[in-house]
Amino acid sequence: MSTTLEETKKPAAVERPYESSFDPPGWVFDVRRLTAVSCVAAFAVGLWTLGGTNPRVLAGLLVVELVLMCLPWRVPRTMRSGLSFWTETLCGLLAPIGSLVLTAVTRPDWLGRGAAWWWYPIAVAVTGGLVALSNMRMRSLLSGELAFVFGPTPRAHGAARAFASALCPVGEEAVFRAPVLLASATTPLGLLGAIAFVARHHIQPGTNRRGTTRSTAVEISAAAALLLLTVASGSIYPALLAHVLNNIPTVVLELQRDNDDRGWA
């Protein structure tokens, strides 16, 4: 029996509608999120008390970012459009991006402070320790097996996560570590910055691949190690190197994942 061309055509894929960016009825603040908000707010107050234009601008950026991150963003995020996902991502990067612009415009003193050469091999060793603690299997990452395990993701979502992972090391060091070089060693600003660095990753709704014992241990260890590198070397650059190297596997993973656009932007 013969078939016509029309009969052999596959049915067109049905494009599913996007979910809205916000879910006010699902807006819940548990103890974890409230604690995280308090920690970041405390660091913003610490920056403000330093005085001077740059610390106070950073404090203001942190507060605005804090408010934006506390909005009732809808989870799970997989059913939201690429534009919605990118908007939330950029809201969570307000302080890092703002700090980079501020640094480029004002060129603060810490920008010209280098470190002795031996601090950079130490930074690489710190990265190795953090990667080992995270249990990231580099062989599986390089082979693409890890990306297969994580599964496909909408193209725009993966690009946003890769962008955030690539930008955050530079911006976060300018926000959370550089101010320590402007303060007296007797002030608790460095400790507040380390705590806020961990806390800001737990403010937005959803787990965001966080909250496990291992991931929290990695975050705390990274915050402590990066702070020690900055204080001991008197420069932001060893910590920046360690942070960049630590985030590279995440960027690679997101770029390796298959695209599951399903008609999405």
Side-chain angles (χ1 to χ4, degrees):
M1 182 176 63
S2 63
T3 57
T4 65
L5 179 60
E6 289 298 322
E7 290 173 331
T8 59
K9 284 184 177 180
K10 294 181 180 179
V14 177
E15 184 174 326
R16 286 178 282 182
Y18 302 133
E19 295 282 354
S20 61
S21 296
F22 301 111
D23 180 24
W27 193 49
V28 177
F29 264 85
D30 53 18
V31 173
R32 177 180 65 89
R33 293 185 69 194
L34 287 172
T35 302
V37 168
S38 300
C39 291
V40 175
F43 178 61
V45 171
L47 283 175
W48 187 269
T49 59
L50 275 181
T53 301
N54 282 19
R56 290 190 169 179
V57 170
L58 282 179
L61 288 172
L62 275 173
V63 171
V64 175
E65 180 188 274
L66 193 60
V67 172
L68 294 174
M69 292 170 72
C70 288
L71 294 175
W73 299 101
R74 181 180 296 278
V75 292
R77 297 172 171 83
T78 52
M79 295 300 294
R80 285 165 45 192
S81 70
L83 177 60
S84 172
F85 194 93
W86 267 97
T87 299
E88 182 183 0
T89 299
L90 292 175
C91 285
L93 293 174
L94 178 63
I97 292 175
S99 69
L100 293 180
V101 174
L102 187 64
T103 298
V105 171
T106 64
R107 300 189 64 80
D109 176 67
W110 57 260
L111 194 61
R113 297 186 191 178
W117 68 266
W118 61 77
W119 284 109
Y120 299 99
I122 293 175
V124 174
V126 167
T127 303
L130 293 174
V131 171
L133 181 60
S134 69
N135 199 31
M136 170 71 77
R137 299 175 181 176
M138 299 304 296
R139 182 175 298 179
S140 298
L141 174 70
L142 296 176
S143 69
E145 179 183 352
L146 200 57
F148 176 78
V149 171
F150 271 79
T153 185
R155 186 191 307 271
H157 293 210
R161 286 190 293 266
F163 174 78
S165 296
L167 177 79
C168 275
V170 185
E172 287 179 339
E173 293 309 308
V175 174
F176 296 103
R177 249 71 65 180
V180 177
L181 300 176
L182 307 176
S184 168
T186 59
T187 66
L189 188 65
L191 181 59
L192 283 174
I195 295 172
F197 171 72
V198 175
R200 75 184 296 270
H201 298 96
H202 296 268
I203 295 174
Q204 288 170 287
T207 59
N208 302 316
R209 301 181 191 167
R210 303 180 186 278
T212 65
T213 300
R214 182 182 292 276
S215 65
T216 302
V218 172
E219 291 169 357
I220 294 173
S221 299
L226 297 176
L227 175 61
L228 289 173
L229 280 173
T230 302
V231 172
S233 68
S235 170
I236 195 176
Y237 297 113
L240 177 58
L241 174 63
H243 201 163
V244 168
L245 292 177
N246 184 70
N247 278 33
I248 286 177
T250 302
V251 176
V252 172
L253 173 63
E254 292 298 340
L255 295 179
Q256 284 180 329
R257 295 173 69 182
D258 288 335
N259 296 318
D260 183 18
D261 287 338
R262 294 167 289 183
W264 304 23

